[in-house]
């Protein structure tokens, strides 16, 4: 994957191998499913939709009642846009090029965050640097987690260069 | 004279405190990249780079930071936005 600036404009240009595009499309579809199914006992949802009032149950319910639908909608839309932008017919089709303006790039950044929050929950990343994961089960998910972080970090370096 | 001024200043401070009794708190999590958190603070709140970096580092090292204060409705809007960005944020009443 190549992450670069856009010639003559703000935003970011992504070049993905078709295998990478397929993987990302699949992961985006899974994020959408987690949000669509919204199973109350799924701890990943607690990371995507945190409790705004941990010490006040009734305020917490009120907040969730007023915000949850639009938060879920926004997150699902971001995931669906990534899924659609990376949809390829089959592997081996060469590369997929994607141009994102500033606002589209934000959709990708927030999607990558949600993806990493879900993957972190699945592989048991609880404390920074602490490895409590079941490695046999989670190698694939952990690799996807690291990769999504790499993509997000690369996008941020383009969108927000620190040495300027 | 002095005591009157002091009293007025105290009353003013109390009034300001009463008007901004709510906080938006962002909590550390092991997932989000530091560069992302800082970029969110700058883009969403419009904070200058230095302030955004300081708040991000405070979240990272102290476990949390108060990123905004104000009335309850405004803080709830901020927390909703933070959740949209995937940050762990809560609304709390400022300690008097």
């Amino acid at each position: 994957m190549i992450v670069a600036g856009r010639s003559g404009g703000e935003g970011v240009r992504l070049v993905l191998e078709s295998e990478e595009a397929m993987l990302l499309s699949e992961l985006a579809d899974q994020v959408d499913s987690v949000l669509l199914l919204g199973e109350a006992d799924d701890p990943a949802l607690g990371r995507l939709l945190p409790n705004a009032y941990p010490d006040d149950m009734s305020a917490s319910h009120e907040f969730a009642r007023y915000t949850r639908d639009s938060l879920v909608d926004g997150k699902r839309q971001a995931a669906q846009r990534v899924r659609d932008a990376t949809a390829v017919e089959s592997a081996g089709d060469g590369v997929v090029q994607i141009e994102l303006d500033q606002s589209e790039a934000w959709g990708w950044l927030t999607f990558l965050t949600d993806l990493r929050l879900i993957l972190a929950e699945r592989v048991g990343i609880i404390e920074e640097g602490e490895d409590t994961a079941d490695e046999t089960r989670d190698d694939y998910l952990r690799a996807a987690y690291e990769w999504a972080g790499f993509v997000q970090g690369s996008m941020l370096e383009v969108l927000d260069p620190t040495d300027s | 004279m002095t005591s009157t001024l002091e009293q007025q200043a105290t009353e003013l401070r109390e009034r300001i405190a009463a008007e901004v009794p709510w906080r938006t708190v962002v909590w550390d999590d092991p997932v989000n990249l530091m560069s992302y958190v800082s970029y969110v603070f700058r883009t969403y709140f419009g904070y200058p780079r230095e302030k955004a970096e300081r708040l991000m580092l405070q979240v990272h090292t102290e476990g949390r930071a108060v990123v905004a204060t104000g009335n309850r409705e405004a803080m709830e809007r901020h927390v909703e936005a933070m959740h949209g960005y995937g940050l762990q944020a809560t609304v709390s009443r400022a300690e008097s």
Side-chain angles (χ1 to χ4, degrees):
Chain A
M1 166 171 241
I2 299 167
V3 181
R6 294 167 86 201
S7 49
E10 288 193 324
V12 61
R13 187 168 65 91
L14 306 172
V15 184
L16 294 88
E17 301 293 334
S18 55
E19 290 81 3
E20 292 175 313
M22 288 176 78
L23 170 66
L24 200 51
S25 202
E26 171 64 26
L27 290 168
D29 196 48
Q30 287 178 20
V31 170
D32 187 38
S33 297
V34 168
L35 288 159
L36 171 66
L37 299 171
E39 287 166 20
D41 59 349
D42 183 349
L45 270 187
R47 293 219 187 185
L48 295 190
L49 304 162
N51 184 349
Y53 288 98
D55 303 323
D56 184 339
M57 200 188 287
S58 89
S60 168
H61 284 265
E62 277 292 278
F63 181 86
R65 201 155 69 86
Y66 286 112
T67 62
R68 192 176 172 118
D69 286 352
S70 77
L71 281 169
V72 168
D73 282 352
K75 288 170 184 289
R76 287 194 64 201
Q77 275 175 26
Q80 289 163 6
R81 291 205 177 108
V82 172
R83 181 195 64 198
D84 296 345
T86 50
V88 288
E89 293 298 317
S90 61
D93 283 353
V95 297
V96 177
Q97 303 212 38
I98 298 164
E99 298 247 348
L100 304 171
D101 65 23
Q102 200 90 3
S103 123
E104 293 166 332
W106 265 115
W108 276 61
L109 292 176
T110 57
F111 158 72
L112 289 166
T113 297
D114 289 342
L115 169 62
R116 295 182 82 242
L117 289 167
I118 292 171
L119 291 171
E121 189 58 47
R122 300 288 187 252
V123 298
I125 294 168
I126 295 158
E127 293 298 326
E128 240 158 322
E130 186 183 312
D131 196 349
T132 55
D134 173 352
E135 285 182 22
T136 52
R137 179 194 137 214
D138 297 327
D139 277 355
Y140 164 78
L141 295 180
R142 185 167 283 274
Y145 173 83
E146 298 294 342
W147 183 66
F150 164 76
V151 174
Q152 191 184 46
S154 305
M155 287 181 69
L156 285 164
E157 279 173 29
V158 171
L159 293 163
D160 184 33
T162 48
D163 52 0
S164 65
Chain B
M1 185 69 177
T2 312
S3 67
T4 308
L5 280 177
E6 274 171 6
Q7 196 184 343
Q8 283 175 349
T10 305
E11 282 170 6
L12 183 63
R13 272 198 299 277
E14 281 169 358
R15 210 164 68 230
I16 290 167
E19 282 165 1
V20 290
W22 295 87
R23 293 170 167 175
T24 299
V25 182
V26 170
W27 299 78
D28 191 29
D29 72 69
V31 173
N32 280 315
L33 303 181
M34 292 163 84
S35 55
Y36 177 69
V37 175
S38 167
Y39 195 43
V40 167
F41 289 167
R42 274 171 43 222
T43 307
Y44 174 75
F45 290 109
Y47 291 156
R49 185 182 289 271
E50 199 178 324
K51 180 172 183 178
E53 301 264 316
R54 180 169 54 73
L55 288 171
M56 176 275 291
L57 283 173
Q58 195 184 344
V59 171
H60 185 68
T61 57
E62 295 174 27
R64 63 172 184 163
V66 175
V67 297
T69 55
N71 67 49
R72 186 173 185 171
E73 290 72 24
M75 296 308 100
E76 291 193 339
R77 277 199 304 280
H78 290 335
V79 167
E80 181 180 2
M82 293 300 106
H83 292 180
Y85 287 114
L87 303 193
Q88 309 293 305
T90 57
V91 182
S92 66
R93 189 191 280 277
E95 290 113 44
S96 51

